Amino acid sequence: SQTIHQWPATLVQPVGSPLSLECTVEGTSNPNLYWYRQAAGRGLQLLFYSVGIGQISSEVPQNLSASRPQDRQFILSSKKLLLSDSGFYLCAWSRGQGGETQYFGPGTRLLVL
Amino acid sequence: GENVEQHPSTLSVQEGDSAVIKCTYSDSASNYFPWYKQELGKRPQLIIDIRSNVGEKKDQRIAVTLNKTAKHFSLHITETQPEDSAVYFCAAYPPSGNTGKLIFGQGTTLQVKP
């Protein structure tokens, strides 16, 4: 069966510091991968998605970036965090080649102070 | 592109009553409609889904109906229980480019009062 991991689970960072969040998927090959952000009490905002290694599409212009160095690894980064970057970051995967159902990871709660 | 509107944004019901959440979509090519439940502080989890070749699907106390002509679909929860309290998200899948992108509604906060 497939499993999706995210770490860290929680993170408190000062404004202006860098960020690196990691997501890995087990039990499947060539998945589509997604990063979402959820502000407190709000909906799901798609940030990035990837259909393969090195292929990243950005949905929202911002100070975040994403990379996919390996087939089942997805990384979200920032060089300098803003207060507005606080939120719940969710990674998700779907089966490649048109898989519709997305499965979410446990999330990383980020607080920028 | 596809747009999904979800109503109501909040819903409060008494335990044992039914709850209905409605979503409308704009892209008639969308062919897959999942519903996710997100409990406080946790990840969204798929609870039921429906494809465009089906009008209704049931799973115990949960059902989803789809009206392709009107481009709307609804989640029905019967005999609600306090553990049904959560945020519910609908989504639509427009089949373009194999990206697997889902377009989510804004979410409905359901409160079931004991």
Side-chain angles (χ1 to χ4, degrees), chain A residues 34 38 100-102 104-105, chain B residues 32 36 38 43 51 99-100:
Chain A
Y34 312 85
Q38 190 174 32
E100 310 99 333
T101 307
Q102 289 186 19
F104 288 86
Chain B
Y32 173 69
Y36 290 83
Q38 186 179 28
R43 74 184 88 182
R51 299 188 183 278
T99 65

Side-chain angles (χ1 to χ4, degrees), chain B residues 19-22 35 47-48 62-64 73-77 88:
Chain B
V20 180
I21 303 170
K22 299 180 180 179
W35 285 89
I47 55 171
I48 196 167
I62 293 173
V64 57
F73 56 110
S74 299
L75 178 71
H76 304 254
I77 306 174
Y88 291 81

Side-chain angles (χ1 to χ4, degrees), chain A:
Chain A
S1 63
Q2 298 83 18
T3 308
I4 180 169
H5 302 278
Q6 285 187 247
W7 65 90
T10 59
L11 193 58
V12 181
Q13 292 285 94
V15 170
S17 63
L19 173 74
S20 181
L21 303 181
E22 190 164 344
C23 170
T24 59
V25 181
E26 297 177 354
T28 187
S29 296
N30 196 30
N32 292 339
L33 296 172
Y34 312 85
W35 278 113
Y36 290 87
R37 177 168 61 197
Q38 190 174 32
R42 304 297 296 274
L44 300 165
Q45 180 188 30
L46 180 62
L47 302 176
F48 301 95
Y49 68 92
S50 171
V51 299
I53 295 175
Q55 300 179 60
I56 308 294
S57 296
S58 174
E59 289 291 297
V60 183
Q62 57 214 326
N63 68 320
L64 299 172
S65 62
S67 62
R68 185 170 176 174
Q70 300 180 41
D71 181 45
R72 290 168 288 179
Q73 183 185 30
F74 205 21
I75 296 173
L76 182 69
S77 304
S78 174
K79 293 181 179 179
K80 289 186 177 182
L81 283 168
L82 307 173
L83 287 173
S84 57
D85 291 324
S86 295
F88 192 38
Y89 288 81
L90 291 154
C91 181
W93 75 274
S94 67
R95 183 175 49 84
Q97 298 300 313
E100 310 99 333
T101 307
Q102 289 186 19
Y103 301 95
F104 288 86
T108 295
R109 196 163 301 281
L110 173 65
L111 179 60
V112 182
L113 300 175

Side-chain angles (χ1 to χ4, degrees), chain B residues 6-108:
Chain B
Q6 183 173 346
H7 298 281
S9 57
T10 60
L11 180 59
S12 181
V13 300
Q14 287 295 134
E15 182 177 0
D17 288 350
S18 295
V20 180
I21 303 170
K22 299 180 180 179
C23 290
T24 60
Y25 60 100
S26 59
D27 189 343
S28 57
S30 289
N31 60 7
Y32 173 69
F33 307 91
W35 285 89
Y36 290 83
K37 175 184 180 182
Q38 186 179 28
E39 296 178 353
L40 190 62
K42 297 190 176 180
R43 74 184 88 182
Q45 293 198 305
L46 179 72
I47 55 171
I48 196 167
D49 55 13
I50 192 168
R51 299 188 183 278
S52 57
N53 58 347
V54 176
E56 184 176 6
K57 184 177 180 181
K58 290 184 179 179
D59 183 2
Q60 299 182 342
R61 297 186 296 107
I62 293 173
V64 57
T65 59
L66 172 65
N67 183 326
K68 287 194 297 182
T69 303
K71 290 189 283 187
H72 66 72
F73 56 110
S74 299
L75 178 71
H76 304 254
I77 306 174
T78 58
E79 300 173 19
T80 53
Q81 301 169 2
E83 52 264 38
D84 294 329
S85 296
V87 179
Y88 291 81
F89 291 98
C90 65
Y93 177 76
S96 58
N98 282 338
T99 65
K101 282 174 55 179
L102 288 172
I103 309 302
F104 284 90
Q106 299 86 345
T108 296

